[in-house]
Amino acid sequence: MRSRAWQIGAFVKRLLFREAGSHTSPVSSMRGFWGLMRAYWFSESWREAWGLTFAILVLTALSAQASVWFAVTSGELINRIAYFHHPSTPTTPMALLTTAATLAAIAIMRDVCFTAVRHFFSTTLHRKWRAWLDRRFNEALLDSNHTHFHLLQMGSDASGSAVPAPDNIDQRVQESIKGLTGGAIGLAMGICRSRAVAWFYRQQAY
């Protein structure tokens, strides 16, 4: 099963990604990993791609900063509770309530204003990136070279073994694009957030 999947993938690659000087498909520039990753950001839709990316980066940084504030304020609240009946430096009820209210405000701001809005922008970017890639690969499948026809009439491989045609080609392509775009956006946001949190904690320590 794995060997057949590899053979189908290799055949699709030969059909869709032509060498220079031969027929050029709408996805010829996406033959490598980085070519596929950056194609949308350097296309005719670059304004919306970079705009959404910038909004996600800003909101990710703000969410990371709010997480640092939340951790610091949580520690301060615990200290105020511990020193509530301290004989020399007791915590006043007003100071305790103020710190608790500040902690609640930070949590609401982080989860509602930053995280929720970032999720909206990341979902929008995911949807638009998927739609753009779907259009390009559908154009490649249905181009003048009749790629879809060749895929349905695959025949046999170089060794003479029968290679059956893949079923529902467009659905398989769309499922692959969905996994690719969703995973890439989630991974990028996770990396950016972890680095931002580390940087803000470092600034807080100094």
Side-chain angles (χ1 to χ4, degrees):
M1 179 64 70
R2 184 176 181 182
S3 176
R4 183 166 59 176
W6 182 85
Q7 292 171 355
I8 293 174
F11 193 86
V12 171
K13 185 175 181 180
R14 289 199 303 270
L15 283 174
L16 297 183
F17 308 140
R18 307 285 179 174
E19 297 293 338
S22 61
H23 176 76
T24 302
S25 75
V27 293
S28 295
S29 61
M30 306 179 201
R31 294 165 55 185
F33 174 78
W34 290 114
L36 182 61
M37 289 291 103
R38 70 187 179 209
Y40 176 56
W41 277 261
F42 292 92
S43 67
E44 71 284 353
S45 303
W46 65 270
R47 290 183 179 85
E48 68 177 13
W50 286 107
L52 290 170
T53 302
F54 180 75
I56 292 171
L57 289 175
V58 171
L59 290 169
T60 299
L62 292 175
S63 177
Q65 177 66 86
S67 295
V68 174
W69 289 338
F70 185 85
V72 172
T73 308
S74 296
E76 184 179 349
L77 179 62
I78 293 174
N79 287 334
R80 290 190 183 280
I81 294 174
Y83 282 89
F84 191 74
H85 296 292
H86 196 274
S88 59
T89 56
T91 300
T92 62
M94 182 58 66
L96 183 63
L97 291 175
T98 301
T99 305
T102 302
L103 185 65
I106 292 174
I108 294 173
M109 178 180 63
R110 180 191 62 184
D111 295 336
V112 176
C113 299
F114 298 151
T115 304
V117 177
R118 185 190 65 175
H119 179 70
F120 170 76
F121 281 112
S122 65
T123 303
T124 302
L125 177 61
H126 186 198
R127 175 172 54 83
K128 290 183 176 294
W129 189 12
R130 281 180 58 192
W132 188 86
L133 285 175
D134 283 341
R135 287 196 301 270
R136 294 301 177 276
F137 276 89
N138 286 336
E139 290 172 3
L141 285 171
L142 303 173
D143 66 356
S144 59
N145 196 48
H146 301 293
T147 303
H148 62 289
F149 178 77
H150 294 299
L151 286 172
L152 294 174
Q153 304 293 329
M154 295 180 69
S156 58
D157 58 15
S159 62
S161 301
V163 180
D167 60 326
N168 299 329
I169 301 172
D170 56 338
Q171 181 181 355
R172 298 293 179 262
V173 171
Q174 291 175 10
E175 289 177 353
S176 299
I177 291 174
K178 178 181 178 181
L180 166 73
T181 53
I185 293 173
L187 177 63
M189 288 195 305
I191 293 175
C192 291
R193 190 178 188 281
S194 62
R195 293 181 66 87
V197 168
W199 190 84
F200 285 128
Y201 266 120
R202 183 179 179 182
Q203 297 300 314
Q204 187 72 33
Y206 289 125

